[in-house]
Structures are given as C-alpha cells and as structure tokens.
Coordinates of all heavy atoms in Angstrom, one line a residue:
G1222 N -9.1 7.8 -109.6 CA -8.9 6.5 -109.2 C -8.3 6.4 -107.8 O -7.6 7.3 -107.4
S1223 N -8.7 5.4 -107.2 CA -8.1 5.1 -105.9 C -7.0 4.1 -106.0 O -7.0 3.3 -106.9 CB -9.2 4.6 -104.9 OG -9.7 3.4 -105.3
S1224 N -6.1 4.1 -105.1 CA -5.0 3.2 -105.1 C -5.0 2.5 -103.7 O -5.4 3.0 -102.7 CB -3.7 3.8 -105.4 OG -3.4 4.7 -104.3
F1225 N -4.6 1.3 -103.7 CA -4.4 0.5 -102.5 C -3.2 -0.3 -102.5 O -2.6 -0.5 -103.6 CB -5.7 -0.3 -102.2 CG -5.9 -1.4 -103.2 CD1 -5.3 -2.7 -102.9 CD2 -6.6 -1.2 -104.3 CE1 -5.5 -3.7 -103.9 CE2 -6.8 -2.2 -105.2 CZ -6.3 -3.5 -105.0
Q1226 N -2.7 -0.7 -101.4 CA -1.5 -1.5 -101.3 C -1.9 -2.8 -100.5 O -2.7 -2.8 -99.6 CB -0.4 -0.8 -100.5 CG 0.2 0.4 -101.3 CD 1.3 1.0 -100.5 OE1 1.2 1.1 -99.3 NE2 2.3 1.4 -101.2
C1227 N -1.3 -3.9 -100.9 CA -1.4 -5.1 -100.2 C -0.2 -5.4 -99.4 O 1.0 -5.2 -99.8 CB -1.6 -6.3 -101.2 SG -3.1 -6.2 -102.2
Y1228 N -0.4 -5.9 -98.2 CA 0.7 -6.2 -97.3 C 0.7 -7.7 -96.9 O -0.4 -8.2 -96.7 CB 0.7 -5.3 -96.0 CG 0.9 -3.9 -96.3 CD1 -0.3 -3.0 -96.4 CD2 2.1 -3.3 -96.4 CE1 -0.1 -1.7 -96.7 CE2 2.3 -2.0 -96.7 CZ 1.2 -1.2 -96.8 OH 1.3 0.2 -97.0
P1229 N 1.8 -8.4 -97.0 CA 1.7 -9.8 -96.6 C 1.4 -9.9 -95.1 O 1.7 -9.1 -94.3 CB 3.2 -10.3 -96.8 CG 4.0 -9.0 -96.8 CD 3.1 -7.9 -97.2
R1230 N 0.6 -11.0 -94.8 CA 0.3 -11.2 -93.4 C 1.4 -12.0 -92.8 O 1.9 -12.9 -93.4 CB -1.0 -12.0 -93.3 CG -2.2 -11.1 -93.7 CD -3.5 -11.9 -93.4 NE -4.6 -11.0 -93.7 CZ -5.8 -11.2 -93.3 NH1 -6.1 -12.2 -92.6 NH2 -6.7 -10.3 -93.6
N1231 N 1.7 -11.7 -91.5 CA 2.7 -12.5 -90.8 C 2.0 -13.0 -89.5 O 1.1 -12.4 -89.0 CB 3.9 -11.6 -90.4 CG 4.8 -11.3 -91.6 OD1 4.9 -12.1 -92.5 ND2 5.3 -10.1 -91.7
C1232 N 2.6 -14.0 -89.0 CA 2.2 -14.5 -87.6 C 3.2 -14.0 -86.6 O 4.3 -13.9 -86.9 CB 2.1 -16.0 -87.6 SG 0.8 -16.7 -88.7
S1233 N 2.7 -13.9 -85.4 CA 3.6 -13.6 -84.3 C 3.6 -14.7 -83.3 O 2.6 -15.4 -83.1 CB 3.1 -12.3 -83.5 OG 3.1 -11.2 -84.4
S1234 N 4.8 -15.0 -82.8 CA 4.9 -16.1 -81.8 C 6.2 -15.7 -80.9 O 6.9 -14.9 -81.3 CB 5.1 -17.4 -82.4 OG 4.9 -18.5 -81.5
E1235 N 6.3 -16.4 -79.8 CA 7.4 -16.2 -79.0 C 8.7 -16.7 -79.6 O 8.8 -17.8 -80.1 CB 7.2 -16.9 -77.6 CG 6.0 -16.4 -76.9 CD 6.1 -15.0 -76.5 OE1 7.2 -14.5 -76.1 OE2 5.1 -14.2 -76.5
S1236 N 9.8 -15.9 -79.6 CA 11.1 -16.3 -80.1 C 11.9 -17.1 -79.1 O 12.8 -17.8 -79.5 CB 11.9 -15.0 -80.5 OG 11.3 -14.3 -81.5
T1237 N 11.5 -17.1 -77.9 CA 12.2 -17.9 -76.9 C 11.1 -18.6 -76.0 O 10.0 -18.0 -75.8 CB 13.1 -17.1 -76.0 OG1 12.3 -16.1 -75.3 CG2 14.2 -16.4 -76.7
I1238 N 11.4 -19.8 -75.5 CA 10.5 -20.4 -74.6 C 11.3 -21.0 -73.5 O 12.5 -21.4 -73.6 CB 9.7 -21.6 -75.3 CG1 10.6 -22.6 -75.9 CG2 8.7 -21.0 -76.3 CD1 9.8 -23.9 -76.4
A1239 N 10.7 -20.9 -72.3 CA 11.4 -21.5 -71.1 C 11.6 -23.0 -71.3 O 10.7 -23.7 -71.7 CB 10.6 -21.2 -69.8
N1240 N 12.7 -23.5 -70.9 CA 13.1 -24.9 -70.9 C 13.0 -25.5 -72.3 O 12.7 -26.7 -72.5 CB 12.1 -25.7 -70.0 CG 12.2 -25.1 -68.6 OD1 13.2 -24.9 -68.1 ND2 11.0 -24.9 -68.1
G1241 N 13.2 -24.7 -73.4 CA 13.2 -25.2 -74.7 C 13.9 -24.2 -75.7 O 14.5 -23.2 -75.3
M1242 N 13.8 -24.5 -77.0 CA 14.4 -23.7 -78.0 C 13.6 -23.7 -79.3 O 12.7 -24.6 -79.4 CB 15.9 -24.1 -78.3 CG 16.0 -25.5 -78.8 SD 17.7 -26.0 -78.9 CE 17.5 -27.7 -79.5
T1243 N 13.8 -22.7 -80.1 CA 13.1 -22.6 -81.4 C 14.0 -22.1 -82.5 O 15.0 -21.5 -82.2 CB 11.8 -21.7 -81.2 OG1 11.1 -21.6 -82.4 CG2 12.3 -20.3 -80.8
N1244 N 13.5 -22.3 -83.7 CA 14.3 -21.8 -84.9 C 13.7 -20.4 -85.3 O 14.1 -19.9 -86.3 CB 14.3 -22.8 -86.0 CG 12.9 -23.1 -86.6 OD1 11.9 -22.9 -85.9 ND2 12.8 -23.6 -87.8
L1245 N 12.8 -19.9 -84.5 CA 12.2 -18.6 -84.9 C 13.1 -17.5 -84.3 O 13.5 -17.5 -83.1 CB 10.8 -18.5 -84.3 CG 10.1 -17.1 -84.4 CD1 9.8 -16.8 -85.9 CD2 8.8 -17.1 -83.7
T1246 N 13.4 -16.5 -85.1 CA 14.1 -15.3 -84.6 C 13.2 -14.1 -85.0 O 12.6 -14.0 -86.0 CB 15.5 -15.2 -85.3 OG1 15.3 -15.1 -86.7 CG2 16.4 -16.3 -84.9
G1247 N 13.2 -13.1 -84.1 CA 12.4 -11.9 -84.3 C 11.0 -11.9 -84.0 O 10.3 -10.9 -84.1
G1248 N 10.4 -13.1 -83.7 CA 9.0 -13.2 -83.3 C 8.0 -13.1 -84.4 O 6.8 -13.2 -84.2
Q1249 N 8.4 -13.0 -85.7 CA 7.5 -13.0 -86.8 C 7.8 -14.1 -87.8 O 9.0 -14.4 -88.0 CB 7.6 -11.6 -87.6 CG 7.2 -10.4 -86.8 CD 5.7 -10.3 -86.7 OE1 5.0 -10.5 -87.7 NE2 5.2 -10.0 -85.6
F1250 N 6.8 -14.7 -88.4 CA 7.0 -15.6 -89.5 C 5.9 -15.5 -90.5 O 4.8 -15.1 -90.2 CB 7.3 -17.1 -89.0 CG 6.2 -17.7 -88.1 CD1 5.5 -18.8 -88.6 CD2 5.9 -17.2 -86.9 CE1 4.5 -19.4 -87.9 CE2 4.9 -17.9 -86.1 CZ 4.2 -18.9 -86.6
S1251 N 6.2 -15.9 -91.7 CA 5.3 -15.7 -92.9 C 4.2 -16.8 -93.0 O 4.4 -17.9 -92.5 CB 6.1 -15.6 -94.1 OG 7.1 -14.6 -94.0
V1252 N 3.2 -16.5 -93.8 CA 2.1 -17.4 -94.1 C 2.8 -18.7 -94.7 O 3.7 -18.6 -95.5 CB 1.2 -16.8 -95.1 CG1 0.2 -17.8 -95.7 CG2 0.4 -15.6 -94.5
N1253 N 2.3 -19.8 -94.2 CA 2.7 -21.2 -94.6 C 4.1 -21.6 -94.1 O 4.5 -22.7 -94.3 CB 2.6 -21.4 -96.1 CG 1.2 -21.4 -96.6 OD1 0.3 -21.9 -95.9 ND2 1.0 -20.9 -97.8
Q1254 N 4.8 -20.7 -93.4 CA 6.0 -21.1 -92.8 C 5.8 -21.8 -91.5 O 4.8 -21.5 -90.8 CB 6.9 -19.8 -92.5 CG 8.2 -20.1 -92.0 CD 9.0 -18.8 -91.7 OE1 8.5 -17.7 -91.9 NE2 10.3 -19.0 -91.3
T1255 N 6.6 -22.8 -91.2 CA 6.5 -23.6 -90.0 C 7.6 -23.3 -89.1 O 8.8 -23.0 -89.5 CB 6.4 -25.1 -90.2 OG1 7.5 -25.5 -91.0 CG2 5.1 -25.5 -91.0
I1256 N 7.4 -23.3 -87.8 CA 8.4 -23.0 -86.8 C 8.4 -24.3 -85.9 O 7.4 -24.8 -85.5 CB 8.0 -21.8 -85.9 CG1 7.8 -20.5 -86.8 CG2 9.0 -21.5 -84.8 CD1 9.1 -20.2 -87.6
N1257 N 9.6 -24.7 -85.5 CA 9.8 -25.8 -84.6 C 10.2 -25.3 -83.2 O 11.0 -24.5 -83.1 CB 10.9 -26.8 -85.1 CG 10.5 -27.4 -86.5 OD1 9.4 -27.7 -86.7 ND2 11.5 -27.5 -87.3
Y1258 N 9.5 -25.9 -82.2 CA 9.8 -25.7 -80.8 C 10.3 -27.0 -80.3 O 9.5 -28.0 -80.5 CB 8.7 -25.1 -80.1 CG 8.3 -23.7 -80.4 CD1 7.3 -23.5 -81.4 CD2 8.8 -22.6 -79.8 CE1 7.0 -22.2 -81.7 CE2 8.5 -21.3 -80.1 CZ 7.5 -21.1 -81.1 OH 7.2 -19.8 -81.4
T1259 N 11.4 -27.1 -79.6 CA 11.9 -28.3 -79.0 C 12.1 -28.1 -77.5 O 12.9 -27.2 -77.2 CB 13.2 -28.8 -79.7 OG1 12.9 -28.9 -81.1 CG2 13.6 -30.1 -79.2
C1260 N 11.5 -28.9 -76.7 CA 11.7 -28.9 -75.3 C 13.1 -29.5 -74.9 O 13.5 -30.5 -75.6 CB 10.6 -29.5 -74.5 SG 9.0 -28.7 -74.7
H1261 N 13.8 -29.0 -73.9 CA 15.0 -29.6 -73.4 C 14.7 -31.0 -72.9 O 13.5 -31.3 -72.5 CB 15.7 -28.8 -72.4 CG 16.1 -27.4 -72.9 ND1 16.8 -27.2 -74.1 CD2 16.0 -26.2 -72.4 CE1 17.1 -26.0 -74.3 NE2 16.6 -25.3 -73.2
D1262 N 15.7 -31.8 -72.7 CA 15.6 -33.1 -72.1 C 14.9 -33.0 -70.7 O 15.3 -32.0 -70.0 CB 17.0 -33.8 -71.9 CG 17.6 -34.3 -73.2 OD1 16.8 -34.4 -74.2 OD2 18.8 -34.5 -73.3
G1263 N 14.0 -33.9 -70.4 CA 13.3 -33.8 -69.1 C 12.1 -32.9 -69.1 O 11.4 -32.8 -68.1
Y1264 N 11.8 -32.3 -70.2 CA 10.6 -31.4 -70.4 C 9.8 -31.8 -71.6 O 10.3 -32.4 -72.5 CB 11.1 -30.0 -70.5 CG 11.8 -29.4 -69.3 CD1 13.1 -29.6 -69.2 CD2 11.1 -28.8 -68.3 CE1 13.8 -29.1 -68.1 CE2 11.7 -28.3 -67.2 CZ 13.1 -28.4 -67.1 OH 13.7 -27.9 -66.0
H1265 N 8.5 -31.5 -71.6 CA 7.7 -31.7 -72.7 C 6.5 -30.7 -72.7 O 6.2 -30.2 -71.7 CB 7.2 -33.2 -72.8 CG 6.2 -33.5 -71.7 ND1 5.1 -34.3 -71.9 CD2 6.1 -33.1 -70.4 CE1 4.4 -34.3 -70.8 NE2 5.0 -33.6 -69.8
D1266 N 5.9 -30.6 -73.9 CA 4.7 -29.8 -74.1 C 3.5 -30.8 -73.9 O 3.5 -31.8 -74.5 CB 4.6 -29.1 -75.5 CG 3.4 -28.4 -75.7 OD1 3.1 -27.4 -75.0 OD2 2.6 -28.8 -76.5
V1267 N 2.6 -30.4 -73.0 CA 1.5 -31.3 -72.7 C 0.6 -31.7 -73.9 O -0.1 -32.7 -73.9 CB 0.6 -30.8 -71.5 CG1 1.4 -30.8 -70.2 CG2 0.1 -29.5 -71.8
V1268 N 0.6 -30.8 -74.9 CA -0.2 -31.0 -76.1 C 0.5 -31.9 -77.1 O -0.1 -32.9 -77.6 CB -0.6 -29.7 -76.8 CG1 -1.3 -29.9 -78.1 CG2 -1.4 -28.8 -75.8
S1269 N 1.8 -31.7 -77.4 CA 2.4 -32.3 -78.5 C 3.7 -33.1 -78.1 O 4.3 -33.7 -79.0 CB 2.8 -31.3 -79.6 OG 3.6 -30.3 -79.0
G1270 N 4.1 -33.1 -76.9 CA 5.3 -33.9 -76.5 C 6.6 -33.0 -76.6 O 6.5 -31.8 -76.3
R1271 N 7.7 -33.6 -77.0 CA 9.0 -32.9 -76.9 C 9.1 -31.8 -78.0 O 9.7 -30.8 -77.9 CB 10.1 -33.9 -76.9 CG 11.4 -33.2 -76.7 CD 12.4 -34.1 -76.0 NE 13.6 -33.4 -75.8 CZ 14.7 -33.5 -76.5 NH1 14.8 -34.4 -77.4 NH2 15.8 -32.7 -76.2
V1272 N 8.6 -32.2 -79.2 CA 8.7 -31.3 -80.4 C 7.3 -30.8 -80.8 O 6.4 -31.5 -80.9 CB 9.4 -32.0 -81.6 CG1 9.4 -31.1 -82.8 CG2 10.8 -32.5 -81.2
S1273 N 7.2 -29.5 -81.0 CA 6.0 -28.8 -81.4 C 6.2 -28.1 -82.7 O 7.2 -27.4 -82.9 CB 5.4 -27.9 -80.4 OG 5.3 -28.5 -79.1
I1274 N 5.3 -28.2 -83.6 CA 5.4 -27.5 -84.9 C 4.2 -26.5 -85.0 O 3.1 -26.9 -84.8 CB 5.3 -28.5 -86.1 CG1 6.5 -29.4 -86.0 CG2 5.3 -27.7 -87.4 CD1 6.5 -30.5 -87.1
V1275 N 4.5 -25.2 -85.3 CA 3.5 -24.2 -85.4 C 3.6 -23.6 -86.8 O 4.7 -23.3 -87.3 CB 3.8 -23.1 -84.4 CG1 2.7 -22.0 -84.5 CG2 3.8 -23.6 -82.9
K1276 N 2.4 -23.6 -87.5 CA 2.4 -23.1 -88.9 C 1.6 -21.8 -88.9 O 0.6 -21.7 -88.2 CB 1.7 -24.1 -89.8 CG 1.7 -23.7 -91.2 CD 1.2 -24.9 -92.1 CE 1.2 -24.4 -93.6 NZ 0.7 -25.5 -94.5
C1277 N 2.1 -20.9 -89.7 CA 1.4 -19.6 -89.9 C 0.3 -19.8 -91.0 O 0.5 -20.2 -92.1 CB 2.4 -18.5 -90.4 SG 1.6 -16.9 -90.5
G1278 N -1.0 -19.6 -90.6 CA -2.1 -19.7 -91.5 C -2.3 -18.5 -92.4 O -1.7 -17.5 -92.2
V1279 N -3.1 -18.7 -93.4 CA -3.3 -17.6 -94.4 C -4.0 -16.4 -93.8 O -4.0 -15.3 -94.3 CB -4.1 -18.1 -95.6 CG1 -3.3 -19.1 -96.4 CG2 -5.4 -18.7 -95.2
N1280 N -4.7 -16.7 -92.6 CA -5.3 -15.6 -91.9 C -4.4 -14.8 -91.0 O -4.8 -13.9 -90.3 CB -6.5 -16.1 -91.1 CG -6.0 -17.1 -90.1 OD1 -4.9 -17.5 -90.0 ND2 -7.0 -17.6 -89.2
G1281 N -3.1 -15.1 -91.0 CA -2.1 -14.4 -90.2 C -2.2 -14.9 -88.7 O -1.6 -14.3 -87.9
E1282 N -2.8 -16.1 -88.5 CA -2.8 -16.6 -87.1 C -2.0 -17.9 -87.1 O -2.1 -18.7 -88.0 CB -4.3 -16.9 -86.7 CG -5.2 -15.7 -86.6 CD -4.8 -14.8 -85.4 OE1 -4.3 -15.4 -84.4 OE2 -4.9 -13.6 -85.5
P1283 N -1.2 -18.1 -86.0 CA -0.5 -19.3 -85.9 C -1.5 -20.5 -85.6 O -2.6 -20.3 -85.1 CB 0.4 -19.1 -84.6 CG -0.1 -17.9 -84.0 CD -0.9 -17.2 -84.9
S1284 N -1.0 -21.7 -86.0 CA -1.9 -22.9 -85.9 C -2.2 -23.3 -84.5 O -3.1 -24.1 -84.2 CB -1.3 -24.1 -86.7 OG 0.0 -24.4 -86.1
R1285 N -1.4 -22.8 -83.6 CA -1.6 -23.1 -82.1 C -0.9 -22.1 -81.3 O -0.1 -21.3 -81.8 CB -1.2 -24.5 -81.8 CG 0.3 -24.8 -82.0 CD 0.8 -26.0 -81.3 NE 0.8 -25.7 -79.8 CZ 1.3 -26.6 -78.9 NH1 1.8 -27.7 -79.3 NH2 1.3 -26.3 -77.7
L1286 N -1.2 -22.1 -80.0 CA -0.5 -21.2 -79.1 C 1.0 -21.6 -79.0 O 1.3 -22.8 -79.2 CB -1.1 -21.2 -77.7 CG -2.6 -20.7 -77.7 CD1 -3.1 -20.9 -76.3 CD2 -2.6 -19.2 -78.1
T1287 N 1.8 -20.7 -78.6 CA 3.2 -21.1 -78.3 C 3.3 -22.2 -77.3 O 2.7 -22.2 -76.3 CB 4.0 -19.8 -77.8 OG1 3.9 -18.8 -78.8 CG2 5.5 -20.2 -77.6
P1288 N 4.1 -23.3 -77.6 CA 4.2 -24.4 -76.7 C 4.7 -24.0 -75.3 O 5.4 -23.0 -75.2 CB 5.1 -25.4 -77.4 CG 5.1 -24.9 -78.8 CD 4.8 -23.5 -78.8
S1289 N 4.4 -24.8 -74.3 CA 5.0 -24.5 -73.0 C 5.7 -25.8 -72.5 O 5.0 -26.8 -72.4 CB 3.8 -24.2 -72.1 OG 4.3 -24.0 -70.7
C1290 N 7.0 -25.7 -72.3 CA 7.7 -26.9 -71.9 C 7.7 -27.0 -70.4 O 8.2 -26.1 -69.7 CB 9.2 -26.8 -72.4 SG 9.4 -26.7 -74.2
V1291 N 7.1 -28.1 -69.9 CA 7.0 -28.3 -68.5 C 7.7 -29.6 -68.1 O 8.0 -30.5 -68.9 CB 5.5 -28.5 -68.1 CG1 4.7 -27.2 -68.3 CG2 4.8 -29.6 -68.8
D1292 N 8.1 -29.7 -66.8 CA 8.8 -30.8 -66.3 C 8.1 -32.1 -66.5 O 6.9 -32.2 -66.3 CB 9.1 -30.6 -64.8 CG 9.8 -31.8 -64.2 OD1 10.9 -32.1 -64.7 OD2 9.3 -32.3 -63.2
I1293 N 8.8 -33.2 -66.9 CA 8.3 -34.5 -67.0 C 8.5 -35.2 -65.6 O 9.6 -35.2 -65.1 CB 8.9 -35.4 -68.1 CG1 8.7 -34.8 -69.4 CG2 8.5 -36.8 -68.0 CD1 9.5 -35.4 -70.5
D1294 N 7.5 -35.7 -65.0 CA 7.7 -36.5 -63.8 C 8.0 -37.9 -64.1 O 7.1 -38.7 -64.4 CB 6.4 -36.4 -62.9 CG 6.7 -37.1 -61.5 OD1 7.6 -37.9 -61.4 OD2 5.9 -36.8 -60.6
E1295 N 9.3 -38.2 -64.3 CA 9.8 -39.5 -64.7 C 9.3 -40.6 -63.7 O 9.1 -41.8 -64.1 CB 11.3 -39.6 -64.9 CG 11.8 -38.7 -66.0 CD 12.0 -37.2 -65.6 OE1 11.8 -36.9 -64.5 OE2 12.5 -36.5 -66.5
C1296 N 9.2 -40.3 -62.5 CA 8.8 -41.2 -61.4 C 7.4 -41.6 -61.6 O 7.0 -42.8 -61.7 CB 9.1 -40.7 -60.0 SG 10.8 -40.2 -59.7
A1297 N 6.5 -40.7 -61.8 CA 5.1 -41.0 -62.0 C 4.8 -41.6 -63.3 O 3.9 -42.5 -63.4 CB 4.2 -39.7 -61.8
S1298 N 5.5 -41.3 -64.3 CA 5.3 -41.9 -65.7 C 6.0 -43.2 -65.9 O 5.9 -43.8 -66.9 CB 5.7 -40.9 -66.8 OG 7.1 -40.7 -66.7
R1299 N 6.8 -43.5 -64.9 CA 7.6 -44.7 -64.9 C 8.6 -44.8 -66.1 O 8.9 -45.8 -66.6 CB 6.8 -46.0 -64.9 CG 5.9 -46.1 -63.7 CD 5.6 -47.5 -63.3 NE 4.8 -47.7 -62.1 CZ 5.2 -47.7 -60.9 NH1 6.5 -47.6 -60.7 NH2 4.4 -47.8 -59.9
S1300 N 9.1 -43.6 -66.5 CA 10.1 -43.5 -67.6 C 11.5 -43.4 -67.0 O 12.4 -43.2 -67.8 CB 9.8 -42.4 -68.5 OG 9.8 -41.1 -67.8
H1301 N 11.7 -43.6 -65.7 CA 13.0 -43.6 -65.1 C 13.7 -44.9 -65.3 O 13.1 -45.9 -65.7 CB 12.9 -43.2 -63.6 CG 12.1 -44.3 -62.8 ND1 12.7 -45.4 -62.4 CD2 10.8 -44.3 -62.5 CE1 11.8 -46.2 -61.7 NE2 10.6 -45.5 -61.8
T1302 N 15.0 -44.9 -65.0 CA 15.8 -46.1 -65.1 C 16.3 -46.6 -63.7 O 17.4 -47.2 -63.7 CB 16.9 -46.0 -66.1 OG1 17.8 -44.9 -65.7 CG2 16.4 -45.7 -67.5
C1303 N 15.6 -46.2 -62.7 CA 16.1 -46.7 -61.3 C 15.9 -48.2 -61.2 O 15.0 -48.8 -61.7 CB 15.2 -46.0 -60.2 SG 15.4 -44.2 -60.2
P1304 N 16.9 -48.8 -60.5 CA 16.8 -50.2 -60.2 C 15.5 -50.5 -59.4 O 15.0 -49.6 -58.7 CB 18.0 -50.6 -59.4 CG 19.0 -49.5 -59.6 CD 18.1 -48.3 -60.0
E1305 N 15.0 -51.7 -59.5 CA 13.8 -52.1 -58.7 C 13.9 -51.8 -57.2 O 12.9 -51.4 -56.6 CB 13.4 -53.5 -59.0 CG 12.1 -53.9 -58.5 CD 11.7 -55.4 -58.9 OE1 11.9 -55.7 -60.0 OE2 11.2 -56.1 -58.0
Q1306 N 15.1 -52.0 -56.7 CA 15.3 -51.8 -55.2 C 15.5 -50.4 -54.8 O 15.6 -50.1 -53.6 CB 16.6 -52.6 -54.8 CG 16.6 -54.1 -55.1 CD 17.0 -54.3 -56.6 OE1 17.4 -53.4 -57.3 NE2 16.9 -55.6 -57.0
A1307 N 15.5 -49.4 -55.8 CA 15.7 -48.0 -55.5 C 14.4 -47.3 -55.6 O 13.5 -47.6 -56.2 CB 16.8 -47.4 -56.5
S1308 N 14.4 -46.1 -54.8 CA 13.3 -45.2 -54.9 C 13.6 -44.1 -55.9 O 14.7 -43.7 -56.0 CB 12.9 -44.7 -53.5 OG 13.9 -43.9 -53.0
C1309 N 12.6 -43.6 -56.6 CA 12.7 -42.5 -57.5 C 12.2 -41.2 -56.9 O 11.1 -41.2 -56.4 CB 12.0 -42.9 -58.8 SG 12.0 -41.7 -60.1
S1310 N 13.0 -40.2 -57.1 CA 12.5 -38.8 -56.7 C 12.6 -37.9 -57.9 O 13.7 -37.7 -58.5 CB 13.4 -38.3 -55.6 OG 13.4 -39.2 -54.5
N1311 N 11.5 -37.3 -58.2 CA 11.5 -36.4 -59.3 C 12.2 -35.1 -59.0 O 12.1 -34.6 -57.8 CB 10.0 -36.0 -59.7 CG 10.0 -35.2 -61.0 OD1 10.4 -35.7 -62.0 ND2 9.4 -34.1 -61.0
T1312 N 13.0 -34.5 -59.9 CA 13.6 -33.2 -59.8 C 13.2 -32.4 -61.0 O 12.7 -33.0 -62.0 CB 15.1 -33.3 -59.7 OG1 15.6 -33.9 -60.9 CG2 15.6 -34.2 -58.5
I1313 N 13.4 -31.1 -61.0 CA 13.1 -30.3 -62.2 C 14.0 -30.7 -63.3 O 15.2 -30.6 -63.2 CB 13.2 -28.8 -61.8 CG1 12.3 -28.4 -60.7 CG2 13.0 -27.9 -63.1 CD1 10.9 -28.6 -60.9
G1314 N 13.4 -31.2 -64.4 CA 14.2 -31.6 -65.6 C 14.8 -33.0 -65.5 O 15.5 -33.4 -66.5
S1315 N 14.7 -33.7 -64.4 CA 15.4 -35.0 -64.3 C 14.7 -35.8 -63.1 O 13.6 -35.5 -62.7 CB 16.9 -34.8 -64.0 OG 17.6 -36.0 -64.1
Y1316 N 15.5 -36.7 -62.5 CA 15.1 -37.5 -61.4 C 16.3 -38.0 -60.7 O 17.4 -38.1 -61.3 CB 14.1 -38.6 -61.8 CG 14.8 -39.6 -62.7 CD1 15.4 -40.8 -62.2 CD2 14.8 -39.4 -64.1 CE1 16.0 -41.7 -63.1 CE2 15.4 -40.3 -64.9 CZ 16.0 -41.5 -64.4 OH 16.6 -42.4 -65.3
N1317 N 16.2 -38.5 -59.5 CA 17.2 -39.1 -58.7 C 16.8 -40.5 -58.3 O 15.6 -40.7 -57.9 CB 17.6 -38.3 -57.5 CG 18.3 -37.0 -57.8 OD1 19.1 -37.0 -58.7 ND2 18.0 -36.0 -57.1
C1318 N 17.7 -41.4 -58.2 CA 17.5 -42.8 -57.7 C 18.2 -42.9 -56.3 O 19.3 -42.5 -56.2 CB 18.0 -43.9 -58.6 SG 17.3 -43.8 -60.3
T1319 N 17.5 -43.4 -55.3 CA 18.1 -43.6 -54.0 C 18.0 -45.1 -53.6 O 16.9 -45.6 -53.7 CB 17.4 -42.7 -53.0 OG1 17.4 -41.4 -53.4 CG2 18.1 -42.8 -51.6
C1320 N 19.1 -45.7 -53.3 CA 19.1 -47.1 -52.9 C 18.4 -47.2 -51.6 O 18.6 -46.4 -50.7 CB 20.5 -47.6 -52.8 SG 21.3 -47.7 -54.5
Q1321 N 17.6 -48.3 -51.5 CA 16.9 -48.6 -50.2 C 17.9 -49.3 -49.3 O 18.7 -50.1 -49.8 CB 15.7 -49.5 -50.5 CG 14.7 -49.0 -51.5 CD 13.7 -48.0 -50.9 OE1 13.5 -48.0 -49.7 NE2 13.1 -47.2 -51.7
T1322 N 17.9 -49.0 -48.0 CA 18.7 -49.7 -47.1 C 17.9 -50.9 -46.7 O 16.7 -50.9 -46.4 CB 19.0 -48.8 -45.8 OG1 17.8 -48.3 -45.3 CG2 19.9 -47.7 -46.2
V1323 N 18.6 -52.0 -46.6 CA 18.0 -53.3 -46.2 C 18.4 -53.6 -44.8 O 19.6 -53.6 -44.5 CB 18.4 -54.4 -47.2 CG1 17.8 -55.7 -46.8 CG2 18.1 -54.1 -48.6
A1324 N 17.4 -53.9 -44.0 CA 17.7 -54.3 -42.6 C 18.3 -55.7 -42.5 O 17.8 -56.6 -43.2 CB 16.4 -54.2 -41.7
A1325 N 19.3 -55.8 -41.7 CA 20.0 -57.1 -41.6 C 19.3 -58.0 -40.6 O 18.6 -57.7 -39.7 CB 21.5 -56.9 -41.2

C-alpha cells in the first residue's frame, strides 16, 4: 500500500506595507482567513480605498494582490479644508493651506 499526507494550503502576502499597517504576522495565512490592511491618514489604496481586505482562497491564492498605499492629493480631490481665499498645496500624506495676499 501507498501512503500519502495532506498538507493545509496557506496563502502568502506581505506582512508590512509602506504607509500602512496590517494584522498579518509572518507572511502566511490560512484558507478562508481574512487579513486587513489599513492605509495611514493621507494615503489610500487605489482599488479599495483606506481599508483593504484580503482573503485566502481554497486554492492557496490570496483574493487580491497586497494593497499599495499611495498619497491622496487632497487638493486635486477637493477633500482639503482650506478656506476659499487660501491656496492648497499637496504634500506627502497631507496638504498645506497658504493664505493669499490681497493687494490694497
């Protein structure tokens, strides 16, 4: 007789992401387990926004690639809180408001 062994399938994903955090440790997670990735303030994943959920499929493949947290351009998206008289300048992870000088 022949003998064989079954091994559980695991998914691999990044344990750390730039400009964000995750609850995954060690880079491996089990079938049907979900991992949360959260981008820091001022950053988002272009596919899913600030929070991304990745699930390990029965085939041992994650439901999507590891999220990538990129800078939000608050000025272009008009999500800044600058007064109407101020100009908005995007910075990495944030923005600056600069008051306009008014000629007398």
Side-chain angles (χ1 to χ4, degrees):
S1223 64
S1224 64
F1225 64 93
Q1226 291 182 320
C1227 295
Y1228 296 96
R1230 291 189 175 194
N1231 288 324
C1232 292
S1233 296
S1234 192
E1235 298 297 320
S1236 297
T1237 59
I1238 56 171
N1240 307 311
M1242 59 188 181
T1243 180
N1244 62 339
L1245 177 64
T1246 56
Q1249 295 282 317
F1250 59 115
S1251 303
V1252 169
N1253 292 325
Q1254 182 180 4
T1255 56
I1256 302 302
N1257 296 321
Y1258 291 90
T1259 305
C1260 295
H1261 296 314
D1262 288 341
Y1264 295 88
H1265 70 141
D1266 177 64
V1267 294
V1268 174
S1269 59
R1271 188 149 184 257
V1272 177
S1273 303
I1274 298 172
V1275 179
K1276 184 175 182 178
C1277 183
V1279 294
N1280 60 354
E1282 294 292 324
S1284 59
R1285 62 164 289 185
L1286 296 175
T1287 301
S1289 177
C1290 296
V1291 295
D1292 177 55
I1293 297 171
D1294 186 341
E1295 294 86 357
C1296 301
S1298 67
R1299 301 209 178 275
S1300 61
H1301 62 82
T1302 57
C1303 295
E1305 190 175 314
Q1306 305 82 2
S1308 63
C1309 179
S1310 301
N1311 189 58
T1312 62
I1313 301 299
S1315 190
Y1316 62 94
N1317 291 321
C1318 299
T1319 306
C1320 291
Q1321 305 277 339
T1322 54
V1323 179

